[in-house]
Structure formats: structure tokens, C-alpha cells
Amino acid sequence: MDLVITQELARAQSQQDEASLKRAYELIKSANLGRSEFDPMESFSPDLFVLCAEQALKMGHPALSDDCLRMYFKVKGPVTQFLGRAHLCRAQLCAPKSTENLEEFENCVTQYMKAINFAKAEPRYYFLVYNASVLYWQMVRPFLKPGYHHHLLSSFSQVVSVLNQTAEEDKEWRAELMLELLDCYLQAGKTDEAARLCVTAAPFIKANVPHKYRHIYSAMVRHGLADELQLAEEKTASTSLAVTYHINVLKAQLDKNELPEDVGAVLKEAYGHLSSYNHQRSPAVREEKLLLLFELARLSLALKCEEIASACLSDLQSVHSRDPGKLIEIECLECELEASSLESKLKVYVRTAVEMQLSIVQRLDVALQQAVRLGEPGPIHVVCATQWNTCLPLLQHNLRRQLRKPLSNVADALEKADSLMVLLRCQVHMEMAHIEEDEDRLEPAIQHLQKAVLLDSLGLYQDKLTRALNRLRLCTMLYQSPERAEDKAIMAIEQAKKAVPKDSVRKKRALLVNAGLALAPDTFQIVLDSENEAKVSMGKVRGRFTYLFAKARHHMVSVDKAAGHLRRLGAENDKERIQIWAELAKVSRKQGVWDVCRAASRFCLLYDNVKAWGARLLERLDCVSQTRNALSGGKKKRGGDSPAQDAWGPSEVTLQRQTSPSLLRTFAEVGFISAEATVHLLRSEGVELNNRPRPPEDLSQHSAGYTVESPEDNAQWITYQTWIEGLSQSAMNSWLRSAEIGRELQEGWIVQNAVVYVLNHNYHLIVAGRQRELVDTLDHLLSIVKATGHSRYPTVLAMLCNTLARGLIIKWIPAHVPEKSKRPVRSNLFHAPLDSVASSEVRTAVEVCEFALNPTDGPVPKEVLPISAQQQLIATWVKGKQLLQQQVGPRLGVDEQSPNEDIDSVTQVLVALEMYSCNGLGLMDFAVPPLAQLVRTASECGWSDPLVELQTLMRLTCFAHAARDHELTMLCSQKATQMGIRHLRACDPVETELVAEMLSTTACIRGRSIMENLKGRKQLRLAAAKAFIESAKFGGIARSSALVMVAARHYWNTWLPFLSSAASRRTTENVLQRIISVINKTEAKKQGKGKVLLLHQWPTADSHSGGMTEEDRHSHRHRRGAEDDLTLRAALYGLLFHCHADRGDWEGGLKVLDEAVQVLPRTAHRLLIFKHMVMVKAKLGQNFTMEIQKFKDEREDYLAHMWRRLALNSRSVSGQLVCHHNAIRALQKPENEWQKVEYILELSEWLYYKQFPMEDVIFHLKWAVDILMLITPARDTPEGAEGPGQDSSWLGHPCVAEEPLSTPEAPESMVSKDMGTVPVEKLWSVRQLEALARAYTLLALMVSPSAAGYEEYCLLAYMCLRRIWQVSLLTAGKAISESKIVEATGSSHLLSPHKEKDRRKQQSAATGKQLHDAPASVEEWASYCCPEGVMSLFRHDNSDFTINPSSIRKPTYTLYYLDHLVRALQKLSLRELTVPLLQLGAAVAAAVVDSKSLGDLYHLRLALACSDLKLREAATHHEEQAGRTYIYDLEQASCRKEIALRKEKNKE
């Protein structure tokens, strides 16, 4: 029978025939029952039970196998190997189906232990021990996941121990199990047991399986499982061990967050050992080197040392491995390196970086497909881990949908490989659930969550997964309403989430309010109505602050109701409710329903207040206890009793300890949202965070004598103000509480977010220099940051420390600093030191800056602090040093042991720049390096931030210009311009304005430096103008109106000397158009005000922050006297108009003027534009009525001047006539009578020229004479100047002096028609007499010589001009006499009385004869020569009673009419009357025109007249006066200069 059964089993095994197996089983079963169909009495071997059970198990019939084993153990056969095999078979049958079934696991392990214990007793059964170990390893593999290793330790150690006892020949298998057991010990935290295992395992593996020794050596080094000296000694024997030692030492330090400062050097040393490792000796060495390169590369990437990682990657690629698995891993490493280079840009989600990261994801997805086809688990796990790390930064709401396929492939690959990376698989399925939910695929999302629940071996996400599954289940419910209040709230929130953006806020709010009402039906609506203005009750008496007071009181009372909700509810479903309230707050914030957001946040944080109140009190009391112990000199013991424990007992402490990290994290997030929502409430009240509210204006009407009440004395306003301040404090406390939670959880990202929130929402205080108000908060945050670590966030730490340091020092910086003069200001070496309080605060600020600049926390190499943040810290640090009167060392603040020379040189340059900016301000001056050396250092060092480099070059340019070093200024500005333009083409829009602003400032400084070193070289002036044009262009790109106007002003001043030339104006036309265009565009798009944090918030020697120098700030003007930018813009438009006018393009000029009117604001500056516009329209014959109305509010003389200009430019005769009359009509005031006379005379000339009736011409001329006769000079006669027989009472008659002029149209009504009634001899005003002479001359010239009045007009003109001689000589004689008397009085005491009396008589007689008396006859006039003293007095006198430039304002006009009068008198044969006139012409030429040539001309005319009168001596005298030289040297030089200028203009 044994043979038959054996044959059936053999057939079943060889042919996998189930029928044979069943026949054998039936035979065995029937035999066991004693009913054999062959021989009932025949027995068979019990071993067949085991063989049949094994075969049944192999063929998938566990029931048959189990029945056979049951029969075998029931029979109790002989003790043979089949007993052990039976135990092994039973162990396989009872293998656990799930890791959750630990009872089955224990039963299975028991069977294996029975087999092993049976087999180890007999050497012949040792093979069973080996088989048991293999089967055991296969069974426990699912338990090799986090959280389950401790279940294996006992049985696994026994298996390894028995294998060692039996001296198993498969040494590699024993080594493998030893390594796995070591890993289990380490994962379970059994370090001592692991160390004991290493004592035996390490020598065994080193002796028998040397290629695996590196693995156990790595574990011993990393976890400290052996003596350090022994391990260090072992590394010297092998290159691979040396590299392994360095790698694992760094890993151990990284695990403890205690990396050394020289981590880069350690990595380089490890790479150096690895580079010398010859991999061509054998395939094993080559394989080992590849593994080490992979390990070193990944560690370098983890430590942000991309240089070493790149070198390792290059070595891996150079090995030329043919293993497809290794090639896939190399591809993964290459992708990791590329992703690492994108990390900084990916943090801010730069579009290009995100696109490149997605391309890396696609490459890894292809690599994963290759690994799956290859079928090796190693490459699959490497690719999946790399893909997950690459996808992590992209798991944002708007990006993760693009990761659906890659993550799905990762999940499938790991599931097919039955990977033990369960945590990774769990996280992947969770993210896949999010992605599916975003696309409304709820069933796949639920499946992914269910898989994640099974894979969460540590229970890290159980609560989250359970809630998510419940939420999705509720989302799938149709036409059903959940019973639980929590489920109702969840369903309402989910419905609100699905609202589309176009849905109304009312609809979204209704759903969110329903969620809140479901959770807190008793108080939620009350809290929500705290912000409902309709619920505010103001009462009957209403004042200025009544509404604000009622609003504040209503809010405070309503909000207080929320606390009662939690007291009534208790701890029912508290964890679930916390998450629902948090979700409601998040959704409300996302959808902009701020009142619901605030209410939900308040209810959520009620739970945190209950849990944290006791803990905060514990901390407070603990601090008090520590302080008392410190004062008493004692030390507090750990674990000792504290007053807090006595006061509160263990309940509160237990409650605090039971709060899970996930709940605390939720409280932190909701705290952020609550604070942000509170800030939104403050802004709705018109108040920024931490600002005080402004009282509203009192718009009500009050009776006379009403006294306005001060808001500070009003109780209602104080209540409202207190409420606003309480809201600000609440927001700040929320952020601080979130930071405290981050410290408790040791999660730096929470703390950093709290810091960012505080800094961002208080940015208005920081910009305004009010950091002092934030010192306490920032100091508390800094202590929290120090406690949680800050290495991953160096920029945030720098901003925090800089703001805190500035808040500490800004109060102690002197507010009034002397302005910087042209010469270097001597430093105040004896500046008073700070007091103790100030010194302590400033010293603390310096320490804070030094901490941020040289942090010691975190992994090294830490993230390098950006230069921009470092620059802010350095500026604050240097200012603090100056306040403390501490000099900076010769290394300029750089540590002597610092390894990074590039960073050191940059730091030195920045420190030196700040020292320069602090010098010369009345405080202590730093000892600074020379500027040339600083420029050289800045050029040699490596800059990681091009913006800071550009700013540095700009500041160096500024300092070089201030030092009057033109060459250095040009060098720095040239470098800055080249570098800035190159960066401007590649930078993003955010940086463009900053770069352009610095380029504008640099170009402006370059142009100013060129102008200061001009030395008359025109080409340099052109270069300076070009620099200012560039400055304006870059200022326009920067959208800085101030920079553009400064550049335009400098350009105007530079080009002003050439603007008088039409050719020069023609060359500037295109430039003017560009500048005007830039100005207009910049004015339309100005920069935001007050939103930029300046590098310096205190006075500095340079002024780069504002874009203008101090000189520019104090001289916003150009040479034409304009004081503001509008005047300059109007002048630029005017110049551009002149460019069109030069070539006669009046239409184009009018377009320019129209544009100016459109863009310039409605101010008086547009009058220049309107002035040109009316002129052009007059020339073009267009209507200018609207434009001339713009001048109605101007002075009447200016308006009259405009009408006169219009008359000169008008096309039609009628238009000219109207303009002339309007010009005369505009002059109504007495002080404008002189200008009115000139316009009337001009009109008469125009009427005569246009052949108007002679009556009109004569009428206007007589009108002018009448006005002149009625003009009362400021002073009638010179004091004491009346001659004998002259009565001065007529000119002072009140009726004449006060007679008004009614209208220009009726002059006849004002004076007598008889012009001879006013004697000329009584007029003393030379200006009046000169105007009358011109008017009479015009009358004589315009009437016919045969007319009756012709001779009379000529004689009247002659009388006026002769009266000028009389008045001038009389006044001059009197003035000279008085001056001589005054001079003589000083020396009269030296003479005797008689001699003094005689001298006075002689002087008086001589003076009266020479000066007072005019020549009486023609002979005397012919030979008369005006004394030099009189001529000198004429030149320097400003009165109206002598011939001088003040009385004769148009000397060429006077001489022109004088010549006409002379010719008229000659025609009348009155030649003797021409001599006094020609003498007057000579006097005017000498005293007023100051032209000797012109005087000689009149002397020659006098000589000719004397010859005609037969006065030969006089003629000879005048010829001698003229001399032989007719053009003198000065006049020749002046003519040559004018000719040269004209030639130069013609060349242009």
C-alpha cells in the first residue's frame, strides 16, 4: 500500500495532478480508518501523512494538508525527520493572513520553534533548521514594517542562535539573517541587544562573508554599537570602510541634528578616498564602489552639497556599468540633482522651475516603467522613492492634478512588488485620494483611503483617514440626511466647497452658517451676529461716538457667549468637532466669508484655550519657581513637586499631555486663520493692525460758543479704542500661541509661519520705523525660534533679527544730524556715550545681528543666508557698533576661521560700505579702507545676488563722486551700467524696477561728475547729457517720477547754454520727445507709496535709497528759476514747441501744445503753454478765445502783453486792431500808465503803416500825450532843484494829480484840447519828457511838412529834449555840490575860519557856473563838453531827474527819434537848434548806451553842424573828440566774439 500511495503522490508532484493527490489522500484516510480495499489488516508508514500534507500544501489544498497532519500527530509515529517536517508544514498552514492577527503569528512561530528545537538535537536533522529558517523568514517578511519589528525579536534571535549552534554551512545566509536581526533590533529601539549581536556577528561576517561586512560596519558606526576607537582603527585598513565610516558618522550626526561645521570638508575627504579606489581590480570592487558612490551622492544631496553629488554622478557615469538596474538608479540620481538645483526657485513656485520639475517627474515615470519591466525590486524602490520626493513640492491644490498618473504608477508598482515601504505607500494613496476627490471621483478616492488605512502600520494617520472616509461617505449619500450633528456640519461644508466662483457670497455663506449652527445651535448665531450692524442698538441719545461705542459693546458682549457653549457641551466628540470647526474656518477663509471664518475660528480655539490654559499657568508658575530658586541659590530638581502641580493636580497636566500633535497642529493653523480674519475685521474698521483708530469728524452743527470735546476725554471713544486695541492684541496673541505650539511640537515650519505672519501684517509699522512697538513680541518669537531650530529658514531668521535689532536701536539714533557739506565734516570724536539703558539695548541689538549672521543651529552646510538679507543685518549691525563707539576690526567683521572666502569678501565689502555711509554724521567715524581698494575687492569677489552687486557698485559710484574722484566714479558707474543692463534683460518683472532704479541713479551720478569736471569741453557736455538721458530712460522703467524729473532737470541745465541756437534746438528735438514721453508714462504709472523697506531708516552719508542725492532734494530747480517739476515739464514742452517753430511747423507745434494741455495738471504752470498756443492759433488764423480766457486772472500788464503779442502774430488787419485795442484796454491801473503809453504809440505807428485815416493816427498820438501830461511822477522835483522863477506848485495840484482816467475810448474828456496849456518847463521827469519828445516827433513825422502843426510839433519835441538837459544838469550840479560839501566838512577843522569861508565861496561859484547853468547860446552849445563828473553821475544815478539807464529805458529808440527830429529841424532851417539835440545824443551814447563809437558818431555830426554854422573852433574840437579810431578794442573784441558765435551756430 505504501508503494501505491507513494506512486500516487509522485504522480501528483510530477504532473501536478490533483486527482492523484486526492486518490492518495483517500487511500491514506481509508487506511487510517482500517478499511483498506486491498488488505484491511495491512499497515503503512506514518511518513506518508507528512508527504501527502506537504504535497497538498504545495498544490493549494490546505484542508487536505491539515487533515493529513492531524492524522499523523494522532497516530504518534516514530520520531524521525518527518516530525520536524510535520511541524514545518503545520507552521505554513497557520501562517497569519494579516499583520493584525498576532495570535496566528504566535501559533505559527510556535510550530517553527518546535521544528527547530527538534532538529537541532540531531546533526542529521540540521537541514531542517536551515529549512525552518528560510520558511520562517518568508513568513515574517510582512512584519518587517514600522511598528512590528518588536514582535519578531524573540523568535528571530532564536532562529539565528540555532543556526549558529548548528554551524550552518551557508555562511552568507547566516550573515543575511544576522543583518536583518540587527536591523530589527535597531528599528525596535533595542540598542543594547543590537550591540551584543554585533559582538558575535561582526567577526563572523568579516571572516566568512567579507563583502557584507561593510553593512554591519555601517550600522555599528551610525548607531554607536561598538567602540569608536576600534571602528576608527578598522577604517584605516580599507578604502571602502574609510568612506563608509565618514558617511555614517555624518548620518549619525544628521540624525541627532548635530552636524559639524566642516561637513563639506568631510564629504570631500570621503570623495577623495573614493576617487582613489581602483574599481578595475575585480567586479566585486567595482560593485562596491558603485554602491558607495550612490550612497555618498544621496547623502551629499541631503546635506545640500551639490558639488560632491555632481562629482559622484560623473564618476558613476564614467564607470560604464551594463547593469540596467544601475543605469536606472543613475538616471534617478541625475533627476535628484536637477531637482535640487531648482529647490530655491521651487519654494516660491517660479513658473519655469515648476515646468522643469514636472519634466523631471515625467522622466522618472519613464524610468519606473523600465524598472517594472526589469522586475528587480531594488531599482523599483529607488525610482519610487525618488519620484515621491520629486512630487512633494508639487502637491499643491492647483498642481497635484498633473501628478495623478505618476503617483498612480508608483502606487501600482509598490503594490505589485509587495513593498515594505508601507509609510510611503500610505502617503501615496492619501495623495491619490486627494487628487481623485479634486476631480469628483469619489469611489476611487474611497478605495485609496481604504488602502491607506491598511498600510498605516504606525497609526500616524488613523484619525485623519477615518475622518476622510466618513466625509467621502457623506458626500456619496443622496437624498439622505445624516443624524449626527457632526455629520450634518460636514455635509454642509462639503456642499460649500463645491460652490463655483460665480456663485454669490450669500449662497456660500448660507451653507457655511448651517454648518456652524449644526455644531453650536445655541451660540453660533449669537457670535455671528456680533458683527451684524443691524443688531447694534444705539439708544435714543446719539452723539459723535455713540455708534462706535454701541458696535464695540455689542461685539464684546456677543463674543463672550461662546465660552458657555463648551461648558454645556463638555468633551463630547471633542477631537472630531475640533477638526470640523477648523475645516469650517479654512473653507470660510478661502471663500471670503470672513464673519463665519472668525466665528468658526473662535469656537475651534475654545478647545485650545481649555487645554492650554492650565499648561500656560504651569509654565508661568514654573518660571516663578525657577526665579525664586535662583535668588535663593538653590537648584530645582527634575521631577520635583511644583506649586502648579499642587494647585491644579494631575488632571490638567494629563489633559495637556493627551492632546495629540495633530490637534495641536490644527490649533496652530486655525490660530493663523483667526489672526488673519481679525486683521480683516480691523481693516473693515479703517484701522491697520496695532494702529490706533482715528476719531471721526464731527459733521453735526453746533451753536455759537460750543466747545469741542477731546476724544481722549470721551468714555464712549475710549471704549471703542480699547476694543480696537483688544482686537490687535488678540491677533498678535493668536500668532504667538501658534508659535508656542510649534515649539512644543518641535516643528519649525509652524514657528516660521508665525514669524512671517507677524512681520507681514506689521509691515506698515516696520516701514514707518515703528519697530520699537514690536520689540517684546519679536523677542519672544526669537526665543521660540532658537528653541525649535532655524537652519532651514535663514531668510526668515534674518528678517526677524533685523526687525528686532532695529526696534532696539532706532530710538537711540540722533534725530537731528548736521547736513553733509561739500568739504569733509570732521567727525565728532567726543560724542556723548549712551546711558546704561540705551547701551544695554544697543548691545543686545548687536548681539541679535551677530546671531543671525553667524547661526550655529542646524545641519551644516546650512542654507546660505541671502546677501540681500545679510545686507540689511550688516547695516543694522554697523549702526549699532557706531552707537556703542566700537570700531570694526581690520577683517571687517569676518571670522578668521571662516571657510568660504567668497562670502567673506562680500561681507567685507558690505561692512565697509555701511561704515562709509555712517561716517560724517556727527557720531563716531569708522576707520575705513580706501575707496580704490574697496572697488577692487568688490570686483574680485563672487556675488550670488546680482541685485546686491549692482547696488554695491551704485553706492561705490556715489561715494566716489562725493570724494570728488572722477576717474573712480566713471569706473564704478561703467561697471554698474554694463552689469545692470545685462541683468535687466534676464530678470523677472519684479526685479526690473529695482535694477532700473539703480541704473538711473548711477547714470545721473555719472552725468553730474562729468559736468563737475567739464572744463569747457563741449564733448564732455554731450556725454553728460547722454548720461542724463539714460538716467531718465531707466527712471521710466523703474516707474519713479522723482528719478525721471531729476534726470530731466540735469539734462535741461546741461543743455541750457545751447538752447538759444536754433541748430542746437533742432538736435535736441528727438531727445525732448523721448524725455517728455518717459515723464508722461511715469506720471501715469507711479510707484506705490510707503511700501518699500529702505536699507537705512536713519540718516546716512549716501542717499541711494531715495534715488536722488541731497543736492537734488534741495535744488529741485533749473536755471530759469522754476521751483517744481511742473514748471520743468512746461518748459520742456515749450522747448519742443520752439523746435517746431524754428522750422515753421506751426501745426506740429500746436499738436505739441495740445498734448501738454492734456497731460499737465490744471495749475498756473500751463500758462506758458497757453501763451504759445494763442500765438500759434493767431498765426494760423484760428480762434483763440478759450485760450486767452486762461489769462483773465493774471496781472493786467501780463494780459496786455499777451494781447500785444497776439497783435504782432495775428494774420488779419482787423484781428491785429482788436488785439491792440484789447492790450490798451487791459491796462487800467495807474502804475501801468507808462506801458499804456508805449502801446498807444505802437498802435499809432501801426495805424499809420496800415494807412488808416490820419485822424485816427493823430487821435492816438494826442491821447498818449494827454496821458503823459497827466502822469504824476513818484517825486515831482528833486529836492531843492527849483530854479529861479520856477513854480513847482502846478505839478503838485491835487486836482491834476488825482484826476482819474475813465476809459481808453474817451481821452478828450480828461484834459483840455489845448496842448499848450501845460508848460514843459514845469516838468521834471526825464522819462516823461523823453516820452513826450518821442510822441511829438511822431506827430511831426506823420503829418505833412506843410501842415499847420508840423513846426509846432518839432519845437515841442525840441523843448522836451532841451528840458531834459536842464533838469539833468541842475540835478547833477546839486548832487555834486552836496557831495563836495560833505567831503569838505570832514577836513574843515584843520583850516582857519577865514580860509574855510573863502574856499567855500570859490567852490560854490565854480560849481554854479559849470553845472547849474546850461549853455545859453549856440556858440556855448557848440563848444560845450559835458564834465566827466557829471557823466559819471549819469551812469550811476537811478533817479528820474537825470540822463541814466533808469530814466531812458530804450536809448536806441530815443536816439532814433532824436535823429529824425534833427533832420526835421534842419529841413526847417533851424540848424542852430540841432546842436543841443546832438549834444544830448552824445550824452545818451556815453552814459546810457555806453558806446564810445556811437558817441564819436555824434561828435562828428556836431562837427558837421558846427561847420554849417561857421563855428570852426567848435567843429575842430568835436573832430578831436572823435579821434582817428572809430572802432575801439573792446568793441572790436565784442564784435569778433559775436561773429565767432554766429559762425559756430552756422556750423551746427
Side-chain angles (χ1 to χ4, degrees), residues 303-498:
L303 297 177
K304 310 299 181 186
C305 189
E306 298 179 4
E307 180 183 357
I308 302 298
S310 178
C312 293
L313 179 61
S314 300
D315 291 351
L316 286 169
Q317 293 171 342
S318 63
V319 172
H320 301 296
S321 175
R322 297 182 180 179
D323 185 0
K326 292 294 186 292
L327 295 177
I328 292 174
E329 292 187 33
I330 292 174
E331 176 72 13
C332 293
L333 186 60
E334 185 176 352
C335 292
E336 280 188 86
L337 189 59
E338 291 182 18
S340 178
S341 64
L342 298 174
E343 185 175 357
S344 59
K345 293 183 178 180
L346 208 57
K347 285 182 179 179
V348 292
Y349 292 96
V350 178
R351 182 181 182 87
T352 55
V354 172
E355 292 174 350
M356 293 181 66
Q357 190 85 352
L358 287 172
S359 66
I360 295 174
V361 170
Q362 297 300 324
R363 287 172 53 189
L364 288 171
D365 190 46
V366 174
L368 179 59
Q369 303 305 320
Q370 296 175 353
V372 170
R373 286 193 293 269
L374 185 64
E376 296 182 5
I380 291 176
H381 284 83
V382 170
V383 178
C384 289
T386 307
Q387 181 72 290
W388 173 249
N389 292 333
T390 309
C391 290
L392 280 178
L394 303 177
L395 292 175
Q396 304 296 320
H397 294 288
N398 56 339
L399 293 175
R400 60 189 179 192
R401 65 176 180 273
Q402 302 185 50
L403 304 178
R404 181 173 180 270
K405 181 181 177 183
L407 289 180
S408 177
N409 292 335
V410 169
D412 294 342
L414 293 176
E415 186 174 359
K416 291 178 182 177
D418 193 18
S419 172
L420 292 176
M421 300 169 63
V422 291
L423 183 59
L424 172 60
R425 293 172 62 187
C426 175
Q427 293 171 342
V428 170
H429 283 293
M430 290 172 64
E431 292 301 329
M432 284 299 301
H434 285 305
I435 296 173
E436 298 291 357
E437 185 182 356
D438 291 342
E439 301 296 330
D440 288 334
R441 290 188 287 267
L442 300 183
E443 291 300 330
I446 292 175
Q447 294 175 4
H448 282 292
L449 289 176
Q450 290 172 345
K451 291 181 179 179
V453 169
L454 296 176
L455 293 169
D456 186 18
S457 59
L458 295 178
L460 298 176
Y461 307 107
Q462 285 301 314
D463 293 340
K464 183 176 180 180
L465 292 172
T466 303
R467 290 194 304 272
L469 277 171
N470 181 48
R471 180 172 53 82
L472 292 181
R473 180 183 60 79
L474 292 173
C475 290
T476 58
M477 291 175 61
L478 296 176
Y479 312 111
Q480 296 180 13
S481 178
E483 297 180 358
R484 296 173 63 244
E486 292 81 2
D487 292 344
K488 291 179 180 179
I490 292 173
M491 180 172 287
I493 293 173
E494 291 303 314
Q495 291 174 355
K497 282 183 180 179
K498 296 178 181 179

Side-chain angles (χ1 to χ4, degrees), residues 1400-1410:
R1400 287 182 180 178
K1401 288 183 179 180
Q1402 294 174 1
Q1403 288 181 353
S1404 176
T1407 305
K1409 182 179 180 180
Q1410 294 178 4

Side-chain angles (χ1 to χ4, degrees), residues 255-272:
D255 294 338
K256 300 175 183 178
N257 202 17
E258 298 176 353
L259 280 170
E261 294 290 337
D262 59 341
V263 62
V266 176
L267 289 173
K268 288 181 180 179
E269 183 180 358
Y271 177 73

Side-chain angles (χ1 to χ4, degrees), residues 8 98 216 318 588 963 1086 1246:
E8 293 292 340
S98 169
I216 193 171
S318 63
S588 302
K1086 288 186 178 180
W1246 179 83

Side-chain angles (χ1 to χ4, degrees), residues 1008-1310:
R1008 292 177 58 216
S1009 182
I1010 294 173
M1011 289 298 296
E1012 291 169 3
N1013 294 271
L1014 197 59
K1015 298 180 181 178
R1017 290 172 286 184
K1018 182 178 178 181
Q1019 293 301 323
L1020 291 183
R1021 186 180 290 273
L1022 295 176
K1026 183 179 180 182
F1028 294 133
I1029 293 170
E1030 290 182 1
S1031 178
K1033 180 184 70 173
F1034 290 127
I1037 297 174
R1039 297 194 301 172
S1040 173
S1041 178
L1043 290 175
V1044 173
M1045 295 310 299
V1046 167
R1049 183 169 296 108
H1050 281 297
Y1051 175 79
W1052 176 275
N1053 292 339
T1054 302
W1055 206 250
L1056 187 58
F1058 303 109
L1059 297 183
S1060 59
S1061 168
S1064 298
R1065 290 197 297 268
R1066 186 167 58 250
T1067 59
T1068 62
E1069 182 176 353
N1070 294 331
V1071 176
L1072 284 173
Q1073 290 176 348
R1074 292 203 303 269
I1075 292 178
I1076 291 174
S1077 175
V1078 169
I1079 292 175
N1080 293 338
K1081 291 179 181 178
T1082 307
E1083 287 294 327
K1085 299 179 180 179
K1086 288 186 178 180
Q1087 289 178 327
K1089 297 180 180 179
K1091 296 298 183 183
V1092 179
L1093 177 61
L1094 302 178
L1095 177 60
H1096 303 116
Q1097 293 180 290
W1098 47 79
T1100 58
D1102 60 334
S1103 54
H1104 60 277
S1105 57
M1108 293 185 293
T1109 63
E1110 291 296 326
E1111 181 180 351
D1112 292 330
R1113 290 193 178 98
H1114 295 294
S1115 64
H1116 278 191
R1117 61 179 65 89
H1118 52 288
R1119 292 185 185 177
R1120 293 191 176 180
E1123 297 295 332
D1124 54 12
D1125 296 339
L1126 291 177
T1127 305
L1128 176 60
R1129 294 176 66 187
L1132 290 172
Y1133 270 110
L1135 181 57
L1136 182 58
F1137 162 74
H1138 279 296
C1139 294
H1140 288 275
D1142 289 337
R1143 60 175 185 268
D1145 183 13
W1146 301 111
E1147 289 80 4
L1150 189 58
K1151 291 180 180 179
V1152 171
L1153 298 175
D1154 287 334
E1155 178 187 337
V1157 171
Q1158 294 295 326
V1159 300
L1160 291 178
R1162 297 177 180 272
T1163 61
H1165 303 88
R1166 296 199 302 176
L1167 290 178
L1168 175 65
I1169 305 301
F1170 286 119
K1171 175 184 174 182
H1172 293 312
M1173 185 174 288
V1174 294
M1175 299 304 167
V1176 175
K1177 287 193 173 183
K1179 282 184 177 293
L1180 297 176
Q1182 299 179 9
N1183 186 6
F1184 50 82
T1185 306
M1186 295 299 297
E1187 287 75 14
I1188 199 64
Q1189 291 297 321
K1190 304 295 182 181
F1191 299 92
K1192 63 182 180 180
D1193 296 330
E1194 295 299 311
R1195 301 190 321 270
E1196 65 177 34
D1197 58 337
Y1198 185 78
L1199 181 59
H1201 171 71
M1202 288 301 302
W1203 280 114
R1204 177 182 174 274
R1205 292 286 304 274
L1206 286 173
L1208 297 177
N1209 289 278
S1210 182
R1211 280 187 173 184
S1212 63
V1213 175
S1214 60
Q1216 294 177 19
L1217 179 61
V1218 171
C1219 292
H1220 276 297
H1221 277 293
N1222 287 335
I1224 297 170
R1225 188 182 296 111
L1227 299 171
Q1228 297 291 333
K1229 295 182 181 180
E1231 59 265 21
N1232 295 323
E1233 295 295 337
W1234 291 107
Q1235 187 176 356
K1236 188 173 184 178
V1237 169
E1238 295 295 335
Y1239 286 175
I1240 294 173
L1241 294 176
E1242 186 176 3
L1243 174 59
S1244 64
E1245 293 179 13
W1246 179 83
L1247 292 172
Y1248 180 79
Y1249 176 73
K1250 294 297 182 180
Q1251 299 181 359
F1252 274 75
M1254 188 57 65
E1255 291 79 7
D1256 295 337
V1257 178
I1258 299 301
F1259 169 80
H1260 285 87
L1261 287 173
K1262 289 184 177 180
W1263 181 18
V1265 171
D1266 292 341
I1267 295 174
L1268 286 171
M1269 297 302 288
L1270 289 174
I1271 291 178
T1272 303
R1275 202 171 136 204
D1276 294 338
T1277 59
E1279 186 178 350
E1282 290 87 350
Q1286 292 180 344
D1287 184 8
S1288 61
S1289 62
W1290 183 86
L1291 289 174
H1293 196 281
C1295 294
V1296 178
E1298 296 179 7
E1299 186 174 2
L1301 293 174
S1302 58
T1303 60
E1305 288 81 357
E1308 294 86 352
S1309 63
M1310 294 179 288

Side-chain angles (χ1 to χ4, degrees), residues 287-303:
E287 184 70 19
E288 189 173 29
K289 182 175 182 179
L290 287 176
L291 295 175
L292 289 172
L293 284 172
F294 278 120
E295 190 173 1
L296 181 60
R298 294 190 180 102
L299 178 62
S300 301
L301 285 175
L303 297 177

Side-chain angles (χ1 to χ4, degrees), residues 248-260:
N248 285 277
V249 165
L250 289 178
K251 286 182 178 180
Q253 294 170 338
L254 181 61
D255 294 338
K256 300 175 183 178
N257 202 17
E258 298 176 353
L259 280 170

